[in-house]
Amino acid sequence: MIAPLELEDARERLLDLLSPRASRPRPVDSAAQLFLAEPVTARRSQPPTDLSAMDGYATVGDGPWELAGESRAGAPFPKALSNGMAVRISTGAQMPFKADAVLIQENARIEDDRLVAIEPPTPRNIRRAGFDFQASATLLEPGMRLGAAQIALARTGGLSQVVVHDRPKVAIIECGDELCADPTDCPPGLIPSTNGAMLGEMARDAGADIARYGPLPDDADAITRTILEASGNAALVVISGGASVGPHDLVKPALEAAGFTLEFWRVAIKPGKPLLVARRGDTVVLGLPGNPVSSFVTGFLFMLPAILKLAGARDCLPRALALPLAEPIPEGGGRREFLRAAWSAEGVRAFPQQDSSALVPLAQADVLIDRPRHADAMETGAFVPCYPLRNGAYA
């Protein structure tokens, strides 16, 4: 039997099968969470002219100064100043022509109708034209995701539209005779379905438009029909359950019946070993284990990078943080392990319960601790690589 693939090899093979979706111009105000297909280039400089960084007085030369008027944001002083003159100025207001410093309000007083400085004015209180960016500068690179700050930057750069990739369409199929769709009406012997909703939310957060199917019974014909239906619109089909080797694990034969070719099967990680990838044309199927924690971990490590690749992200892989252990952890096993752990001021603490069906520690987890195969036991204070779950390990 072929040995399971290492995580990085398997993920690279998956991502090599995928390409970003088509791109098109969209209003910048409605492009949130999409990924840029083309750079955002400034059409103007910011600020367009010298501005005051403080409330106070714009001055020319040494004081005391004669007051000549006021410059407000949106209502600049219309004339040039000469030596020994000043104008009242507010934060963000345009500096009058020839003004060379700003005396802040706290350092100013008026004596005999003249402006006097308690401490001298300084040019450091001027925001110079173009200090943030110049016209024609590249503000945002292709592959960056547009959030609130990026939308603000694009608008400030003078753009009303940006060119972004379409959201990828992802179908999620949940399989298993034991699954009950309604968690409030679950007969004895069945369990509420969870993975479809869980994976759907993960995919939606990553930027996908999703369609959910199931839960399906362990019936090869039903699974085949659903795969054919789901693959009609989706670039990525994610199947939870039925990817192992038991007599009721029917995903592989169903994929073959639907015309898909198996690319690889099994990855040397825990939880999540029975993972498969298949392809037919431009559609890729990712088969995940049915146990909820295994499905979550493999969804995190494989489904999310796949969606980000389809969405046009520059960085598709999760980023680990080195965090100290709040308590010791024992030596590892023969597979690379991802431990659910809580994160506090003292460090990370792996939950004692790591069973692949246990949802309480998964729901309470802040990070996944990444442990190599045959890892040595580690003491309190040792640093371990961790993938954040709550604030996101992905760009």
Side-chain angles (χ1 to χ4, degrees):
M1 181 178 291
I2 298 174
L5 293 175
E6 297 298 325
L7 168 63
E8 284 76 12
D9 292 340
R11 192 159 53 192
E12 182 179 1
R13 289 179 60 173
L14 169 63
L15 295 181
D16 283 345
L17 301 174
L18 303 168
S19 299
R21 300 299 85 192
S23 62
R24 67 194 76 244
R26 290 191 62 161
V28 67
D29 292 1
S30 62
Q33 303 309 310
L34 298 178
F35 290 86
L36 288 168
E38 296 181 4
V40 170
T41 303
R43 297 181 179 176
R44 58 184 295 280
S45 297
Q46 178 64 19
T49 186
D50 290 354
L51 305 177
S52 176
M54 306 289 286
D55 290 336
Y57 298 87
T59 63
V60 182
D62 297 327
W65 299 271
E66 177 185 351
L67 288 174
E70 183 178 11
S71 180
R72 294 180 289 109
F77 185 75
K79 302 176 183 178
L81 296 182
S82 56
N83 194 49
M85 297 186 69
V87 298
R88 188 83 169 85
I89 197 165
S90 56
T91 301
Q94 181 176 317
M95 292 290 292
F97 185 58
K98 292 191 175 179
D100 56 17
V102 173
L103 175 65
I104 65 173
Q105 179 68 41
E106 295 86 341
N107 291 336
R109 67 173 184 264
I110 304 296
E111 293 181 358
D112 300 327
D113 295 327
R114 310 256 312 165
L115 176 67
V116 177
I118 299 171
E119 294 185 12
T122 173
R124 292 194 302 272
N125 292 328
I126 300 174
R127 296 172 180 157
R128 297 296 182 185
F131 94 90
D132 195 359
F133 57 82
Q134 299 278 353
S136 78
T138 298
L139 302 180
L140 299 168
E141 298 283 354
M144 291 190 67
R145 194 174 200 175
L146 290 169
Q150 292 74 30
I151 289 172
L153 178 58
R155 288 183 63 89
T156 303
L159 286 90
S160 63
Q161 287 192 325
V162 289
V163 180
V164 292
H165 291 284
D166 292 341
R167 293 183 185 276
K169 296 184 182 300
V170 176
I172 296 173
I173 304 173
E174 191 173 11
C175 303
D177 279 339
E178 75 281 14
L179 301 179
C180 180
D182 185 354
T184 68
D185 184 18
C186 200
L190 302 184
I191 60 173
S193 63
T194 57
N195 292 355
M198 177 182 70
L199 293 169
E201 190 59 31
M202 293 170 69
R204 189 180 292 110
D205 283 348
D209 287 336
I210 68 162
R212 283 176 51 193
Y213 299 84
L216 303 181
D218 289 322
D219 177 272
D221 290 339
I223 296 172
T224 301
R225 288 194 302 270
T226 305
I227 290 172
L228 288 169
E229 180 183 349
S231 61
N233 294 315
L236 177 68
V237 178
V238 180
I239 304 176
S240 171
S244 190
V245 294
H248 301 290
D249 293 325
L250 303 173
V251 168
K252 282 193 288 185
L255 286 168
E256 293 173 0
F260 284 80
T261 300
L262 187 68
E263 295 287 333
F264 64 86
W265 174 55
R266 299 194 307 157
V267 181
I269 59 173
K270 182 181 178 181
K273 181 180 177 181
L275 177 141
L276 67 80
V277 169
R279 178 177 60 166
R280 188 193 65 196
D282 293 331
T283 302
V284 172
V285 168
L286 174 62
L288 306 182
N291 274 330
V293 175
S294 301
S295 195
F296 180 94
V297 171
T298 50
F300 181 86
L301 295 172
F302 287 90
M303 181 184 72
L304 297 189
I307 291 172
L308 291 173
K309 177 71 177 288
L310 291 168
R314 179 179 55 188
D315 300 313
C316 300
L317 302 182
R319 292 175 290 191
L321 300 175
L323 299 173
L325 289 171
E327 62 183 30
I329 52 177
E331 63 183 18
R335 281 184 282 161
R336 185 170 175 179
E337 295 182 80
F338 292 88
L339 306 179
R340 280 74 70 206
W343 182 5
S344 67
E346 291 76 30
V348 292
R349 180 177 287 104
F351 291 107
Q353 178 56 267
Q354 294 289 329
D355 186 87
S356 60
S357 66
L359 282 170
V360 170
L362 177 65
Q364 295 177 348
D366 301 301
V367 300
L368 293 176
I369 299 175
D370 184 357
R371 303 205 73 206
R373 64 172 67 193
H374 303 301
D376 293 333
M378 302 185 76
E379 297 298 323
T380 300
F383 280 80
V384 290
C386 299
Y387 293 108
L389 298 178
R390 297 186 187 277
N391 296 323
Y394 289 91

